[in-house]
Amino acid sequence: MANKRQLKKEIRYICGEVAAECALAKYLVEEVNKDVLNDSLRDVAALQEETLSRVNVNFDKVPKNFDSLKAYNIAKKNFMDKAFKSLTDEFNKRVQEIIDKMNSALPKNKD
């Protein structure tokens, strides 16, 4: 797992790139559905805010609750790995949903 600071930077970077693509399409693509893109921009902002708040998860147990420090460290690592996987899976799923929504706003090809 990356450290929290690096993870937050990556979340901001990805959300910024998705928002930039959305804004570019909104202003540069003719016949694009601007309402859908506006919704997508709001979705990206909400996703970033929600995900950044979820990064600051803490292990709710203390070493006294375990037989040894080794058992505590293993439990904490397992908890953090599970939390990280859950966070990244949900984030990636929501980013893909937003991208699909953005793509639906683009005009259909006129062959």
Side-chain angles (χ1 to χ4, degrees):
M1 179 177 98
N3 65 39
K4 290 179 183 181
R5 182 174 49 172
Q6 187 62 35
L7 182 59
K8 286 180 178 183
K9 284 181 182 181
E10 290 176 13
I11 290 166
R12 286 185 188 104
Y13 175 77
I14 292 168
C15 289
E17 289 295 314
V18 172
E21 288 294 324
C22 190
L24 283 172
K26 181 178 170 184
Y27 294 111
L28 299 178
V29 177
E30 294 178 18
E31 299 179 23
V32 70
N33 187 337
K34 293 183 184 202
D35 293 331
V36 172
L37 292 179
N38 287 334
D39 287 343
S40 297
L41 282 170
R42 281 190 286 276
D43 291 344
V44 170
L47 173 63
Q48 179 175 318
E49 183 179 338
E50 291 168 18
T51 307
L52 289 175
S53 70
R54 286 183 58 198
V55 169
N56 292 323
V57 65
N58 290 315
F59 188 52
D60 60 347
K61 307 248 189 272
V62 294
K64 287 192 281 186
N65 298 31
F66 296 88
D67 294 336
S68 68
L69 187 58
K70 183 177 181 180
Y72 168 78
N73 288 334
I74 290 170
K76 183 177 179 181
K77 182 183 181 329
N78 289 338
F79 173 83
M80 296 305 272
D81 287 347
K82 185 177 177 183
F84 177 75
K85 176 137 177 59
S86 172
L87 177 91
T88 56
D89 288 349
E90 180 65 25
F91 179 75
N92 290 336
K93 179 181 164 217
R94 299 255 324 264
V95 166
Q96 188 59 51
E97 289 171 359
I98 292 169
I99 291 171
D100 292 343
K101 187 176 183 180
M102 288 168 50
N103 287 338
S104 73
L106 296 174
K108 304 296 181 225
N109 288 339
K110 298 177 184 176
D111 292 338

